Amino acid sequence: MYSYYFRIADLLIYIHTPIVFNKFYELDHYRIKHINGRKADIEYKVCFFNEEWKVHGRKVQEVRRTCVYETEDSFLKYYFWSVHTNEKFVILEQKKGEYHQFKLYIPYKDIDSLLREFHISAFLSMERALLKYSAFQLHASVISWNGKGILFSAPSGTGKSTQAEMWKKYESAAVVNGDRAIIRKQGNKFRAYGSPYAGTSGVYTNISVPVGAIVILEQGKENHIKRLGGIEAFKKIYSESTICTWDQMFIEKYMDLLGELIRDVSVYYLSCRPEKRAVELLKEWLLSESGI
């Protein structure tokens, strides 16, 4: 058996596997060799399953080629990768009530093609584990500016990375993450962490910044900004979060955490064009309203 350790969002993640992984791709940037006796916060055990394993349980979620099935004591997340059938899959087993130990089942007969076509990080589905430690994933680009993190959140293709790069160009901001950041509450403060999930931006770091503001982006014909109230902010952030809608305990804890975030952090709506004036307008509001 082989052991690999990673540090993401200041959490120690342990992967125990019967096969050697020569490369973890984006996860390689978060890999650590020395843990100094620290116990892992999140554990994954990789196992082989036999050819007779069939999809079973009650389907509770289906998103593209991913389905979650519920059994008496577990949630089984199936990742299908065959084009026209559901014959090839990887399974992530998540015990009910358990939020830090998981089993990842992979097919022995398909291991070569699996490792050739996919990165192991795609199967970890960290959202349940993160929530145990008051953290969640948000579809957002993150910059560090004036010592604070500004998060640009919106659906894919709306301009999150564009805004981040403009702040880098015009305000010398540092880009922390390009697509899917981790927000974690530590003590009484929220921090934004870079994660290995960077989408097409290719920008990911292993650093964190205190959350200064969250900006909900929308493409517009002119630049316009307003502050969002509690319910509006809640809906916008909820829609761009990675959520286990099939797990009632997850939903309850996530909603409490999101409520705390909205009470502590300013949330803005910015309709804008990809131009310098959009940066200037947001900067004016951040300095006058949020004191960043």
Side-chain angles (χ1 to χ4, degrees), residues 67-282:
C67 295
V68 178
Y69 288 79
E70 180 182 12
T71 66
E72 184 176 350
D73 62 352
S74 300
F75 293 110
L76 301 173
K77 190 169 187 177
Y78 289 80
Y79 301 88
F80 300 101
W81 82 87
S82 52
V83 178
H84 299 295
T85 72
N86 288 342
E87 294 177 357
K88 294 184 178 181
F89 50 80
V90 168
I91 310 161
L92 180 66
E93 181 183 31
Q94 310 170 65
K95 292 289 186 181
K96 292 181 178 178
E98 177 56 70
Y99 285 80
H100 77 286
Q101 293 182 326
F102 306 89
K103 286 186 178 179
L104 185 65
Y105 293 92
I106 58 179
Y108 183 79
K109 66 182 180 69
D110 295 316
I111 189 63
D112 290 338
S113 63
L114 174 68
L115 296 181
R116 187 169 57 248
E117 297 176 41
F118 297 94
H119 304 169
I120 193 69
S121 60
F123 305 124
L124 298 184
S125 191
M126 293 179 57
E127 55 271 13
R128 287 182 86 241
L130 288 172
L131 198 58
K132 174 180 172 64
Y133 300 99
S134 299
F136 69 98
Q137 289 180 317
L138 180 66
H139 196 193
S141 295
V142 184
I143 62 169
S144 176
W145 181 72
N146 274 8
K148 295 292 182 69
I150 313 300
L151 285 71
F152 298 101
S153 182
S156 298
T158 307
K160 299 185 303 297
S161 296
T162 299
Q163 287 297 317
E165 288 299 320
M166 286 198 303
W167 274 79
K168 179 180 179 180
K169 177 180 179 180
Y170 296 119
E171 291 294 330
S172 300
V175 182
V176 175
N177 209 83
D179 186 70
R180 198 169 296 275
I182 295 173
I183 299 176
R184 183 182 178 195
K185 185 175 185 180
Q186 294 176 280
N188 295 320
K189 301 295 183 180
F190 283 92
R191 298 189 68 86
Y193 288 82
S195 84
Y197 304 101
T200 58
S201 73
V203 179
Y204 45 86
T205 68
N206 200 7
I207 63 175
S208 70
V209 287
V211 178
I214 298 175
V215 181
I216 307 301
L217 284 181
E218 184 175 277
Q219 294 179 348
K221 295 182 179 180
E222 59 183 26
N223 300 307
H224 170 72
I225 189 171
K226 68 176 181 178
R227 188 162 183 168
L228 294 182
I231 295 177
E232 286 183 295
F234 191 100
K235 290 180 178 178
K236 292 293 186 181
I237 296 175
Y238 183 96
S239 67
E240 294 302 325
S241 300
T242 305
I243 302 172
C244 300
T245 56
W246 35 268
D247 185 339
Q248 185 61 34
M249 289 180 62
F250 179 101
I251 291 295
E252 292 174 1
K253 187 170 182 179
Y254 164 79
M255 291 180 72
D256 288 342
L257 185 62
L258 180 54
E260 294 173 11
L261 174 68
I262 291 172
R263 286 193 294 271
D264 293 350
V265 175
S266 299
V267 181
Y268 300 96
Y269 164 81
L270 176 63
S271 175
C272 62
R273 294 167 51 85
E275 61 187 14
K276 184 179 181 180
R277 178 54 190 154
V279 175
E280 295 171 341
L281 177 62
L282 177 57

Side-chain angles (χ1 to χ4, degrees), residues 55-70:
V55 176
H56 65 287
R58 180 178 67 92
K59 185 189 292 186
V60 293
Q61 185 184 61
E62 180 174 2
V63 181
R64 302 185 188 92
R65 302 296 297 171
T66 302
C67 295
V68 178
Y69 288 79
E70 180 182 12

